[in-house]
Each structure stands twice: as C-alpha cells, then as structure tokens.
Amino acid sequence: MPLRSTLSIAALIALAPQLAGAQAAIPQSPAPVAAHAGADAPTAADLALRALYEREWAWRQQEFAQEKIDGRWQASSRLPSVAAEDWERRVAYWTQVLAELDAIDVAQLSPGERVNAAVFRAMVEADHASTEWRTWEAPFNSDSFFWGYFNPSQPYAREGEWERLLGRLRDVPTYFDQQIANMERGLDRGWSVPRASIEGRDRTLEPYTRTDAGNPFLVTFDAIPASVPEPRRSQLREEGRRLVLERLVPAYTKLLAFLREDYLPRTRTTIAASDLPDGRAFYRSQVREYVTRDMDPREIHAVGLAEVERISAEMREVMARAGFEGSFEEFLQFLRTDPRFYARTPRELLASAAYVAKKVDGQLKHAFNTLPRYRFTIIPVPDDIAPIYTSGRGGLDACLFNTYDLPSRPLYNLPALVVHECAPGHSFQAALALEAPARPDFRQQTYFSGYGEGWGLYTEWLGTSMGIYETPYEDFGRLTFEMWRAARLVIDTGLHEYGWSREQAIDYLASHTALARHDVETEVDRYISWPGQALSYYLGYRTLRELRAEAERELGTRFDQRPFHDMVLALGSVPLPVLEAEVRAFIAAQKAALAP
C-alpha cells in the first residue's frame, strides 16, 4: 500500500482515512479513448469541462489547506477545518459540481478530455458519497489515524518547510477538538469504528503526551539540519519546542483521555459494515468506490474462493520444490519458526531490503523504456506506530519497512514486499507520475486503489521474470503475498456480507498463508475497520494480468512488455474500466503500426 492520500497528497492523510482513499466508480463501459488530447482545437464541451475541473481543483486546494510550492501541491501553513458545517458545505458543493458535469455532453469531448471527465467524475463521486455517508464521524481506523502523520518522517531541508510545519502544528488543538465533536456525533447515531479492530491503537498517542526526549516532536525539532542556517535554525528549534510543550502535549493528552474514557467504551461491539445504519447500502458503496465498478459482494466472494484454491495448488508445488516432506501446515510452521528466515537486527532487515531494491535496479531496463529520475530511500517505520503498522509501505520519497518484532518479519517475504512497495511498485510508480507529461493537476494527485494496488501486486508477479526470487522459499513468500490478497476477497466480503467473526477471518488467513500471526491479526483488523478497501488489490491485479494476456494474444511474438508497461504507467491512476479501454486502444494501435 502506498503512502498517499487522494483529497490532497500531504495534509489529508491526517484526515479521516476513508477520505484518504477517494476512489469511485464510473460508468461500466466507457468508449476507448486516448490518454492525452490531440492537437485539434478544443471543443465547446472541452472548454466547459476544463473550466469545471480547474475551478473545483482550486476550491479543493483552498478547502483542504494546500498550496503550490515549487510546482507541487503541498501542505500549507494551516490545517483544514473539519467541523460538521464544513463537511455539509462540501457535500453541497460537490452536488452542484456533479450536476454541472452531468450537463456536459461526453460525446462532444475530445479523446483526452473524455479520460479527464471519467477520472474527474470518479473522484468527485467518491468524495461526495463519503461525505454524504458522514464517514468523517468515524475519522480513523486500525491502520490510519487522524492524529498521525503531522510529524515528518525525515527532517525538512529548508526553512520554509519548517515554518509551514509550525503553522500546521499551531492548528492541532482546534483540529483535534473538531474531530472529537465529530466522533461524539457518530457515537450518538451508532456510527463508529468497531471496538475489536482498534484495541490498543490509543497507545500510539502516548509518546506525544511526553514532555521529555521521548516525544517524537521534540526529537524532530532537535534534528533541524545545517541546511537551515543559524541563527534561524536555533530559533525554529526553540519555537518548535515551546509549541510542542505548550500546545501539542495538552492537545494529545486531551484526545487520549477522550478516546480511553469516552470513545472506546462506547464504540460498537459488532464488526460488519452491514451493522451500521443502512449498512448494507454503505458496504455496496464502499465496494463500488474501491473496485471502481459495480460488483456484487457475493460475486467477489466466489472469485476469491476460486483464486485461493488455484494459488494453494501452486504453493504446494513450490513446497515440493523446496524438498519439504511434511504437510502444508507443518511447512507453514517451519517457515514461521526456523531462525534462518529472520533478521537478527533491524539493520539486517533494512540491508536485505536495500539489496533486493538494488537487484531490481539492474533489471528495470528489461521491463521498461521509461525510468524515473526521482529516487526513494529506505527507512524503518517510526517507533510510535510500528506495533500496529503493516510490514512495509512505499511512496514517492521513501519505502518504510517495519523492524518491530523481528520474529514476525520473515525475510522470504521481503523480495515481494520490496518490488511492491519500492520498485517497480509504488515508489517507482509515484516518481513516474511526478515526472509524467503535462496533465490537469487533479490527474497528478488522484489515486485509485484498484489501479495503484493492482499495479503493486502485478509487479510482485513481474519479479518472477526479473530474477528477483532466488530460492523456493522466496517464491513461496511471493505466493503467500498473492494468496494474502486473494484471501482478502473472501475475508472482506465474509466479514461485511456474510457475517464472519473476527476469529473466523483470522483462522482463514492464517491457514492459507505463511504470514506471521501478528501480521494476520493486524490485517484482519484493517479489513474490519476499512470495509471494501482490501478488495481493490487483487481485482486490480487480475485486471492487469488479463489485459496483458489479451495483448500477448493479439500481438503474438511482436508483444513487447516495455511499451505495454510504459503505457499503463503513463496513463496515470484511473478507474479500472478506463484502464481496460485504454489498454485495448493501445493494442489496436500497436496492431495497426505493426501490420505489414
């Protein structure tokens, strides 16, 4: 999963996690269109559409406290207001935007603007639906927290970045108060995060209530680099320390008390999305948002069961190749307990990840024609969130790997994790998006989980032809990850459509993968508290694999994976129906160009 947000890449990751994943559905059968507009003069419909999405984007940046700095939209010196009246105003605005979009004749749009229209509609429909469902009244889940992400993972290099950080931190007390009021409103109508999925998450606040060197904010301000010259560096450090002690520590302390004494005791004890007010309709809206097409949850459940059975057979073949003579269950136990498969120190795990990433570098030229200039680094997951964080997460600037509880971090899973999160997965993908040909600003920062996570899982499979998996155990780790995503189709729908218990979901995932028990429980809690999101990975991956197979059939020996991959990534993040239409247009163009 990439480090990203949709409403605004930087600041809004600190908003409600359901708004951090603003993907939505579009009409099921869009006509094939080109990724970029041609040289023809824009039509009247083109001009109307551009005016609409440019106006909405400018409004959005103001609304969610973003500003353009050095050509990139970044967090400004304030936090967005998240009071109930703000969300009510936003849903009214998006209602009007959708009405104006409906009035534009899609048939009169040029090919490039037709893609823009589809992406814009998907983005706005998701934001509108999420806000209308008032998901902001439950503004965190087991994986992402509105009180997190304020503290930068790496020190800023420039004075202006530190000054903007100080501005945002001054707004934290008001921001927390608004979130508390929102959560109280949610509790009053029976809308909350399931209690079973968030046990212990309150502990992530504890370090920020400290007044000594254990407070991560104090560590951050003590680490202002020499690139900020004196005396300003010392001034910023002292200003930051004073702000932390006088405003942030009390704000985090107040929020922690609210969560422990009021919120957590009153959260719902049920776990299914269908148990929320009008919950079955809500779950279907979540499926539509993350899958970017209409699919019945029971259809998805059946797909998952079939894929789990297929991957199980492959896993047993790899087990035999490894020379293991016991049962499948005994093989899983062997993988979970043999010391050879586990790093002894955090540095050893990070070094192993770096080795895989560098090995990938040597293979990229065989899979892509276009490579990004922007580079990522590898760092550990911060200590305050590591106990409840995923094994790894990648974004534009960094790939994070979890070094907490090393006996639950098997090295045989690491190659698949690196290609998914770093390159040619999310970090690679994000860098290419940054350097992509000019497209509307909203296209640069919109993220559709089916496209993005589907690509990440596709790269795990691509690693088999890049020589990334050196042993049967590493190949089994890759299959464990593929099984993990296929099992999500069964588990997510099992929990929210069929009424599975938490224990039933944990047992299912543990019995089908070599994931450590810690990871299994963390994952299931995420599916419980973030319905629908887990469906996007495998369905996006399946779409990409099917499109590649179609291209190979149509082009035969003339198929070259490099332009195929370049085309998919140059398109940028789009709903799956748009991806299908664009790839088929690419195949047709390739056939025409290669025709004798």
Side-chain angles (χ1 to χ4, degrees):
M1 173 189 295
L3 297 165
R4 85 292 187 263
S5 173
T6 301
L7 285 175
S8 53
I9 290 296
L12 285 199
I13 216 167
L15 284 179
Q18 62 274 12
L19 289 172
Q23 303 89 350
I26 66 166
Q28 289 295 291
S29 301
V33 290
H36 305 288
D40 294 339
T43 67
D46 289 346
L47 295 175
L49 176 66
R50 290 177 193 173
L52 179 60
Y53 62 60
E54 288 172 359
R55 171 162 48 86
E56 193 278 345
W57 186 254
W59 170 87
R60 179 183 293 256
Q61 302 320 297
Q62 175 65 26
E63 196 74 14
F64 296 110
Q66 301 288 285
E67 62 179 298
K68 206 163 195 177
I69 303 165
D70 297 331
R72 292 171 58 191
W73 287 102
Q74 301 180 49
S76 70
S77 58
R78 64 182 178 88
L79 291 179
S81 181
V82 292
E85 56 267 26
D86 297 302
W87 293 114
E88 290 163 1
R89 184 184 69 255
R90 289 163 189 155
V91 77
Y93 180 82
W94 281 320
T95 299
Q96 177 60 34
V97 167
L98 289 171
E100 293 182 48
L101 184 58
D102 288 340
I104 296 173
D105 185 356
V106 175
Q108 299 303 312
L109 293 172
S110 59
E113 291 298 343
R114 214 172 304 160
V115 170
N116 291 336
V119 174
F120 182 64
R121 176 177 292 279
M123 178 184 75
V124 176
E125 283 185 344
D127 296 340
H128 178 270
S130 181
T131 308
E132 199 167 44
W133 278 107
R134 290 158 57 187
T135 54
W136 42 269
E137 292 180 344
F140 72 102
N141 61 29
S142 69
D143 177 83
S144 305
F145 321 108
F146 68 81
W147 57 83
Y149 307 103
F150 295 115
N151 196 30
S153 60
Q154 301 178 80
Y156 294 126
R158 294 181 291 183
E159 178 181 336
E161 294 173 302
W162 289 98
E163 290 171 343
R164 289 192 294 276
L165 173 64
L166 286 170
R168 294 193 297 275
L169 295 182
R170 290 187 190 99
D171 287 347
V172 163
T174 298
Y175 180 78
F176 281 5
D177 285 345
Q178 290 174 338
Q179 297 284 25
I180 288 171
N182 291 341
M183 287 188 284
E184 287 177 332
R185 289 168 64 107
L187 288 172
D188 288 344
R189 70 179 181 103
W191 190 282
S192 74
V193 185
R195 188 182 310 170
S197 70
I198 54 171
E199 292 289 346
R201 270 49 176 186
D202 53 305
R203 289 197 295 271
T204 63
L205 285 147
E206 290 176 350
Y208 298 94
T209 66
R210 297 179 59 166
T211 58
D212 58 16
N215 189 307
F217 281 124
L218 295 178
V219 173
T220 292
F221 282 105
D222 283 341
I224 300 177
S227 57
V228 179
E230 292 287 8
R232 188 57 181 144
R233 182 162 77 250
S234 295
Q235 293 169 350
L236 287 168
R237 182 173 59 248
E238 293 311 308
E239 188 176 351
R241 291 182 62 85
R242 184 167 56 251
L243 177 60
V244 171
L245 296 175
E246 294 179 2
R247 290 181 63 79
L248 294 186
V249 168
Y252 275 88
T253 301
K254 177 182 177 180
L255 177 60
L256 180 59
F258 168 75
L259 289 174
R260 285 180 171 168
E261 298 167 14
D262 191 3
Y263 190 75
L264 294 177
R266 295 173 58 197
T267 50
R268 63 188 176 103
T269 56
T270 58
I271 61 174
S274 57
D275 294 321
L276 289 165
D278 202 13
R280 287 200 173 275
F282 171 66
Y283 183 53
R284 277 160 176 73
S285 78
Q286 293 294 99
V287 172
R288 181 172 169 83
E289 175 177 337
Y290 288 107
V291 177
T292 61
R293 63 171 94 243
D294 281 322
M295 290 186 72
D296 187 280
R298 293 173 182 255
E299 175 191 355
I300 294 171
H301 193 82
V303 170
L305 289 172
E307 290 299 287
V308 164
E309 183 175 352
R310 178 188 62 79
I311 299 166
S312 291
E314 289 191 36
M315 295 175 87
R316 283 167 170 78
E317 291 174 6
V318 174
M319 182 182 77
R321 185 152 47 90
F324 191 84
E325 297 181 354
S327 68
F328 184 75
E329 291 72 21
E330 289 169 337
F331 187 58
L332 294 184
Q333 181 64 14
F334 162 67
L335 292 175
R336 287 174 177 146
T337 56
D338 194 296
R340 82 179 81 170
F341 299 124
Y342 296 87
R344 290 161 294 182
T345 65
R347 184 179 178 87
E348 183 181 347
L349 187 146
L350 295 172
S352 297
Y355 165 70
V356 175
K358 200 60 191 172
K359 184 165 59 173
V360 169
D361 279 351
Q363 295 296 317
L364 290 174
K365 61 181 176 290
H366 302 302
F368 304 88
N369 286 320
T370 303
L371 302 179
R373 295 183 301 274
Y374 202 94
R375 315 313 297 163
F376 64 87
T377 190
I378 289 175
I379 58 177
V381 172
D383 291 342
D384 58 304
I385 58 173
I388 48 81
Y389 207 66
T390 55
S391 295
R393 194 160 293 181
L396 177 65
D397 294 313
C399 271
L400 280 70
F401 292 94
N402 204 327
T403 58
Y404 170 81
D405 189 20
L406 288 174
S408 70
R409 313 290 172 196
L411 295 176
Y412 54 77
N413 285 346
L414 204 55
L417 187 63
V418 170
V419 296
H420 182 117
E421 301 295 347
C422 305
H426 294 319
S427 294
F428 183 92
Q429 186 180 23
L432 281 176
L434 179 69
E435 300 166 11
R439 60 168 63 102
D441 277 357
F442 80 91
R443 290 283 308 279
Q444 298 289 79
Q445 301 206 5
T446 300
Y447 183 86
F448 294 94
S449 192
Y451 172 93
E453 299 300 346
W455 174 259
L457 184 49
Y458 173 85
T459 63
E460 294 177 24
W461 169 81
L462 188 62
T464 60
S465 63
M466 297 172 70
I468 302 306
Y469 308 106
E470 297 179 355
T471 69
Y473 303 113
E474 291 182 350
D475 200 30
F476 192 88
R478 174 189 67 83
L479 286 169
T480 278
F481 273 26
E482 186 175 358
M483 173 66 83
W484 169 25
R485 278 46 165 266
R488 287 176 177 182
L489 304 183
V490 180
I491 295 170
D492 194 283
T493 52
L495 288 165
H496 299 297
E497 179 72 15
Y498 289 97
W500 282 21
S501 68
R502 180 176 181 268
E503 291 71 25
Q504 189 175 356
I506 288 171
D507 289 344
Y508 188 87
L509 188 56
S511 65
H512 285 89
T513 71
L515 294 174
R517 180 78 180 188
H518 176 87
D519 275 353
V520 168
E521 293 179 359
T522 298
E523 284 298 312
V524 167
D525 286 340
R526 183 158 71 96
Y527 312 151
I528 290 171
S529 62
W530 202 349
Q533 192 270 348
L535 304 175
S536 58
Y537 295 68
Y538 202 86
L539 294 174
Y541 161 67
R542 194 165 177 252
T543 298
L544 278 165
R545 286 290 307 274
E546 290 172 349
L547 289 170
R548 176 175 173 139
E550 185 175 332
E552 290 173 340
R553 286 194 307 272
E554 293 292 322
L555 299 174
T557 58
R558 298 174 297 176
F559 174 77
D560 184 341
Q561 68 174 352
R562 292 170 298 178
F564 176 82
H565 293 149
D566 289 346
M567 176 268 159
V568 169
L569 291 179
L571 182 60
S573 192
V574 294
L576 295 181
V578 172
L579 176 64
E580 290 171 334
E582 291 300 289
V583 170
R584 286 174 181 140
F586 165 82
I587 294 170
Q590 289 276 297
K591 288 181 72 174
L594 295 170

